[in-house]
Amino acid sequence: MPNRFLDLKKFWLFLIPALLLAATIGGAHAGELRGTGDLGIIIERAASRIQIIETTTQTKLFTVEGMGDLSHASVVYSRDARYAFVFGRDGGLTKVDILTGTIVKRVVQGGNSIGGAISQDGRLVAVSNYEPGGVKVFSSDTLELVADIPAVYDGDMLSKTVGLVDAPGNRFVFSLYDAGETWIADFSNGDTPKITKFKNIGKLPYDGLITPDARYYIAGLFGEDGLSLLDLWHPEKGMRRILDGYGRGEEPLPVYKMPHLEGWAEASGTLFLPAIGRHEVLVLAMNDWKEIGRIPVHGQPVFAMARPDGRQVWVNFAHPKNDVLQVIDVETRQIVKTMTPGRAILHMEFTPRGEQIWVSVRDRDVVEVYDTATMEKIAELPADKPSGIFLTARANKTGL
Amino acid sequence: MPNRFLDLKKFWLFLIPALLLAATIGGAHAGELRGTGDLGIIIERAASRIQIIETTTQTKLFTVEGMGDLSHASVVYSRDARYAFVFGRDGGLTKVDILTGTIVKRVVQGGNSIGGAISQDGRLVAVSNYEPGGVKVFSSDTLELVADIPAVYDGDMLSKTVGLVDAPGNRFVFSLYDAGETWIADFSNGDTPKITKFKNIGKLPYDGLITPDARYYIAGLFGEDGLSLLDLWHPEKGMRRILDGYGRGEEPLPVYKMPHLEGWAEASGTLFLPAIGRHEVLVLAMNDWKEIGRIPVHGQPVFAMARPDGRQVWVNFAHPKNDVLQVIDVETRQIVKTMTPGRAILHMEFTPRGEQIWVSVRDRDVVEVYDTATMEKIAELPADKPSGIFLTARANKTGL
């Protein structure tokens, strides 16, 4: 039956392109259909690369290359937790689709940048720049420039900007390192921000945080021994100094690494914060902003992070004592565990309900995952010189 | 060229099944590839149906039918925020894939149930049952039974269970309505729970909550004028009475609807809670659990919910005054807005960063969405007798 033979041959001729078509239709969903609640990003600092991971079974899903200079990189997420906005040191702002592991768009928006934030409504992404000093604000959808806010002071000087965070009401708050000012840029009435400036807040503000209730902005001062506090419910009252002279009368130690204020920890109405240059974690009462205790620790603390339920604070340290991780019990303020995962512990991130903590151990090229109840290691993932770790739960939070 | 004609005819013969094949392969991803951070569920109580919605542009994505009796239904989410576990009044536990809008599995696990919870690690789903009284615990993956905890008291009596919540350390906490007890079921060592019982906590506990820091469990008492408090950091200390006799010496009003404790609001170190049977919201200091104020409101409050930044508390009311929504300013404790969206306002849910609140208005068959900054309505979605609204941000939270 030659005809039948011909048919079969033709069948394949037609089937192959049809299968390719099928694959194409399937391929429109190159990423797997999955929830984004348990995803996150690990920065591979030296390799200009990020890993996309999931925390349920602790695996890597994708590697994304070509991310520029990722020193001091940080990440925020779109409100649907599908897109990551990665802020690089080279002024790069990269929008990554974490479901497909691909770069959606990348712009180099400044010469030297440090950190960013996403507005409460998810519409705007702001980047804080050292060079030229100021904040640029982009559409989270297209990465097109929406607003440019040069950090002008003393006539025509431009200040480095630091401590950029989002606040309720589509506001961004940031500080001017050189000028000693804090500004609020309010986008609640559209793309032209209303700027409110607070002057003389103290010398050399170097970072800022918003308390977990999103009410207070606190700028850490590098040029003075204290912090500056702004009540965002009452900006008309201006900023006031807190913990003034907390190191007074004591010999300051050389500062090997600036602590990060983003990691300041709130637990049971107290803030746990790394003291600059001292081997101490300070404990601050949030009702009157007074120091109520100091906890001696292994070295100069960099991050002091509270488990989401506020029962533990995990602390890492500056060079040369950066191979140690300590856990403080909040109730007794005692160190209950000291671990030595390896040199250069650069960052930690809790899963949102606190059962795991992910820890970057740069010089061992691994990220370790601990069960926070037992404080035992439960997983280890290879990573090339890992630094920051950022989980999608951040999409739901204010002030990061 | 008859041969060529034949070829064309055959082409279609082969192409049609091939296209069907393509559609099938594509159909493995019937849902659109998308993030799950902005998704949620609206219960359509009378229609045995749920809507899956997204909050970014406020639209409906799917309708899922065949959900059983959804009176008093509630929802928790898997840790990846892809799957919803819907607890129906008929004892139905339904696992729904919110990316495809399909039922993955449905079991009828009890005769009359009220609420559920998911463990910290996401592995276990617990359901609270009136009939037979107790808690059943299922694998979140397969919905297979993992543990059965009958609420036995006085020898062979079975109590209704209420106020079931999850707590850190893979624990579930719940209360026995008839027995006046609170139990902790601790699954931190596997599938056989360690049960801790607290007896004589007060008469007829009717609901429970965990404070946002996940430290305290509070049971509301229907049979007595007060509440019972458990410090989960110190279960060995037992439970103690708080707000004892808060209505003493005053004539109680008839109670038209029990308030919900899940909606108790924490803001600036205070709890705002609906007083049973009274036209008041009580204000409680969390440091010593004493009453520090009462706010007169429109009717008997049902839910008093704090905006995530703690600046506002939104309150709805029991029949016959359930057509009104009031907003309390937390700082001044004054009502700053009274709205009348329509009869039977059954539930409210804030987006995680607080810019929107979604409100069910049952008798108008709509869900309204408000901008919380302006308190103006920004969207309205049709819904058939809507009751509960549950957003995926709950996946990241403890004690819901």
Side-chain angles (χ1 to χ4, degrees):
Chain A
M1 309 281 282
N3 268 354
R4 228 170 147 180
F5 177 77
L6 189 72
D7 277 0
L8 260 176
K9 206 170 117 194
K10 285 201 178 127
F11 175 79
W12 289 110
L13 278 175
F14 294 126
L15 184 63
I16 287 163
L19 277 173
L20 287 174
L21 177 69
T24 305
I25 293 174
H29 303 283
E32 190 190 350
L33 198 68
R34 58 164 298 143
T36 49
D38 59 344
L39 302 187
I41 282 176
I42 297 170
I43 304 290
E44 293 187 323
R45 181 178 175 155
S48 186
R49 190 164 64 203
I50 61 171
Q51 284 188 25
I52 296 163
I53 54 85
E54 57 80 28
T55 65
T56 301
T57 59
Q58 297 99 30
T59 60
K60 180 174 80 171
L61 301 177
F62 299 107
T63 291
V64 187
E65 312 268 353
M67 301 289 298
D69 179 356
L70 294 180
S71 321
H72 222 284
S74 62
V75 176
V76 299
Y77 290 94
S78 60
R79 71 194 299 290
D80 64 359
R82 174 171 184 175
Y83 299 102
F85 300 91
V86 183
F87 307 101
R89 191 55 179 265
D90 56 358
L93 166 59
T94 313
K95 181 175 179 177
V96 176
D97 182 344
I98 62 170
L99 281 173
T100 59
T102 54
I103 293 176
V104 177
K105 191 161 183 187
R106 175 172 163 81
V107 295
V108 176
Q109 56 78 44
N112 185 346
S113 74
I114 184 117
I118 187 163
S119 62
Q120 185 183 31
D121 64 4
R123 210 171 55 81
L124 301 171
V125 172
V127 191
S128 176
N129 287 316
Y130 278 4
E131 187 54 47
V135 168
K136 287 187 179 172
V137 180
F138 299 85
S139 155
S140 62
D141 190 20
T142 62
L143 297 196
E144 275 164 28
L145 187 70
V146 167
D148 188 0
I149 309 170
V152 180
Y153 72 107
D154 275 0
D156 58 355
M157 304 282 278
L158 280 180
S159 173
K160 290 179 188 170
T161 53
V162 297
L164 171 65
V165 296
D166 63 281
N170 286 324
R171 290 178 293 177
F172 294 109
V173 189
F174 53 94
S175 295
L176 282 61
Y177 180 79
D178 307 293
E181 299 183 6
T182 292
W183 292 11
I184 300 173
D186 180 341
F187 286 86
S188 60
N189 288 313
D191 290 348
T192 306
K194 180 172 165 259
I195 309 285
T196 307
K197 301 179 184 181
F198 302 91
K199 302 198 174 192
N200 303 314
I201 68 154
K203 280 185 197 151
L204 305 179
Y206 71 97
D207 203 356
L209 76 90
I210 281 197
T211 51
D213 62 3
R215 176 167 180 178
Y216 297 99
Y217 178 82
I218 301 175
L221 301 175
F222 191 61
E224 295 182 45
D225 206 3
L227 308 154
S228 197
L229 176 83
L230 175 63
D231 180 352
L232 291 164
W233 292 11
H234 293 290
E236 75 284 359
K237 290 186 180 169
M239 294 186 77
R240 67 185 175 100
R241 197 66 55 86
I242 59 170
L243 284 192
D244 211 9
Y246 69 80
R248 187 173 298 159
E250 302 175 52
E251 193 64 34
L253 301 165
V255 177
Y256 294 107
K257 185 171 168 65
M258 298 298 289
H260 281 256
L261 298 199
E262 186 187 314
W264 289 11
E266 195 261 334
S268 297
T270 54
L271 275 185
F272 290 73
L273 55 101
I276 297 182
R278 312 196 65 82
H279 293 194
E280 289 170 339
V281 168
L282 304 178
V283 187
L284 188 61
M286 288 181 70
N287 58 348
D288 61 4
W289 305 103
K290 297 262 192 291
E291 181 189 323
I292 54 173
R294 293 185 184 205
I295 301 164
V297 288
H298 168 78
Q300 295 184 10
V302 176
F303 285 99
M305 291 188 160
R307 200 171 71 173
D309 69 346
R311 189 159 193 182
Q312 299 171 343
V313 172
W314 291 57
V315 188
N316 70 341
F317 302 97
H319 176 83
K321 306 187 86 173
N322 64 6
D323 58 337
V324 164
L325 201 53
Q326 289 192 310
V327 183
I328 296 169
D329 175 68
V330 163
E331 192 170 33
T332 60
R333 295 185 198 155
Q334 299 296 311
I335 288 164
V336 290
K337 185 102 176 179
T338 297
M339 289 165 268
T340 50
R343 296 208 69 81
I345 298 165
L346 295 188
H347 198 224
M348 302 93 79
E349 177 96 336
F350 288 97
T351 50
R353 293 170 78 191
E355 75 281 10
Q356 300 171 18
I357 187 170
W358 288 54
V359 178
S360 283
V361 190
R362 188 193 62 196
D363 290 2
R364 280 188 49 237
D365 291 312
V366 292
V367 167
E368 296 191 336
V369 184
Y370 291 83
D371 177 327
T372 64
T374 61
M375 294 181 269
E376 298 293 330
K377 186 166 73 175
I378 53 171
E380 189 173 287
L381 289 84
D384 185 355
K385 304 279 170 275
S387 56
I389 306 170
F390 304 92
L391 302 183
T392 53
R394 290 172 173 251
N396 288 338
K397 292 199 178 154
T398 300
L400 294 177
Chain B
M1 309 279 283
N3 269 355
R4 228 168 144 182
F5 177 77
L6 190 70
D7 278 1
L8 261 176
K9 207 170 120 193
K10 284 201 179 128
F11 176 78
W12 287 111
L13 277 175
F14 293 126
L15 184 62
I16 287 163
L19 278 173
L20 287 174
L21 176 68
T24 305
I25 293 175
H29 302 282
E32 190 191 349
L33 196 68
R34 59 165 299 144
T36 48
D38 60 345
L39 302 187
I41 282 177
I42 297 170
I43 304 289
E44 294 188 323
R45 181 178 175 153
S48 186
R49 190 164 63 201
I50 60 170
Q51 284 188 23
I52 296 164
I53 55 83
E54 56 80 29
T55 65
T56 301
T57 59
Q58 297 99 30
T59 59
K60 180 173 80 171
L61 302 177
F62 298 108
T63 291
V64 187
E65 313 267 352
M67 301 289 298
D69 180 355
L70 294 180
S71 322
H72 222 284
S74 62
V75 176
V76 298
Y77 290 95
S78 61
R79 71 193 298 292
D80 64 359
R82 175 171 183 174
Y83 299 102
F85 300 92
V86 183
F87 307 102
R89 190 55 180 263
D90 55 359
L93 165 59
T94 312
K95 181 175 179 177
V96 176
D97 182 344
I98 62 170
L99 282 173
T100 58
T102 54
I103 293 175
V104 178
K105 190 158 183 186
R106 176 172 162 81
V107 296
V108 176
Q109 56 78 46
N112 185 344
S113 75
I114 184 118
I118 187 162
S119 62
Q120 186 183 30
D121 65 3
R123 210 172 55 80
L124 301 171
V125 172
V127 191
S128 177
N129 288 316
Y130 278 3
E131 187 53 48
V135 168
K136 286 188 180 172
V137 179
F138 298 85
S139 156
S140 63
D141 189 22
T142 61
L143 297 195
E144 273 163 30
L145 188 70
V146 168
D148 188 0
I149 308 168
V152 179
Y153 72 106
D154 277 0
D156 59 353
M157 304 282 278
L158 279 180
S159 173
K160 290 179 188 170
T161 53
V162 297
L164 171 66
V165 296
D166 63 282
N170 287 324
R171 290 179 292 178
F172 294 109
V173 189
F174 53 93
S175 294
L176 281 62
Y177 180 79
D178 308 293
E181 298 182 8
T182 292
W183 292 12
I184 300 174
D186 180 342
F187 285 85
S188 61
N189 288 313
D191 291 349
T192 306
K194 179 173 166 262
I195 308 285
T196 306
K197 301 178 183 180
F198 302 91
K199 303 200 173 190
N200 303 312
I201 68 153
K203 280 186 196 148
L204 305 179
Y206 72 95
D207 202 356
L209 76 91
I210 281 197
T211 51
D213 61 5
R215 176 169 179 177
Y216 298 98
Y217 178 82
I218 302 176
L221 301 175
F222 190 62
E224 296 182 45
D225 206 1
L227 309 153
S228 197
L229 176 83
L230 175 63
D231 180 352
L232 290 165
W233 292 11
H234 294 291
E236 75 283 1
K237 291 187 179 167
M239 294 186 76
R240 67 184 174 100
R241 196 66 56 87
I242 58 171
L243 283 192
D244 210 10
Y246 70 78
R248 187 173 297 156
E250 302 175 51
E251 192 65 35
L253 302 163
V255 176
Y256 293 108
K257 184 172 170 61
M258 296 298 287
H260 282 257
L261 299 201
E262 188 188 310
W264 288 12
E266 194 261 334
S268 297
T270 53
L271 276 184
F272 289 73
L273 55 101
I276 299 182
R278 314 195 64 82
H279 293 195
E280 287 169 342
V281 169
L282 304 179
V283 187
L284 189 60
M286 287 180 70
N287 58 348
D288 61 3
W289 304 104
K290 297 261 192 292
E291 181 188 325
I292 54 172
R294 293 186 183 204
I295 301 164
V297 289
H298 168 77
Q300 295 184 8
V302 176
F303 285 100
M305 290 188 160
R307 199 171 72 173
D309 69 346
R311 190 159 192 182
Q312 300 172 343
V313 171
W314 290 58
V315 189
N316 70 340
F317 301 97
H319 176 85
K321 305 187 87 172
N322 64 6
D323 59 336
V324 164
L325 200 54
Q326 288 190 311
V327 183
I328 296 169
D329 174 67
V330 163
E331 192 170 33
T332 60
R333 295 185 197 153
Q334 299 294 312
I335 288 163
V336 290
K337 185 101 175 180
T338 297
M339 289 165 269
T340 51
R343 295 209 71 81
I345 298 165
L346 295 188
H347 197 225
M348 302 93 81
E349 177 96 335
F350 287 96
T351 50
R353 293 170 77 192
E355 76 280 10
Q356 300 172 18
I357 188 170
W358 288 55
V359 178
S360 282
V361 189
R362 187 192 64 196
D363 289 2
R364 281 188 48 235
D365 291 311
V366 293
V367 167
E368 295 191 338
V369 184
Y370 291 83
D371 177 328
T372 64
T374 61
M375 295 180 267
E376 298 293 330
K377 187 166 72 175
I378 54 171
E380 188 172 288
L381 288 83
D384 185 355
K385 304 279 170 275
S387 56
I389 305 170
F390 304 92
L391 302 184
T392 53
R394 290 172 174 252
N396 289 338
K397 292 199 178 154
T398 300
L400 293 177

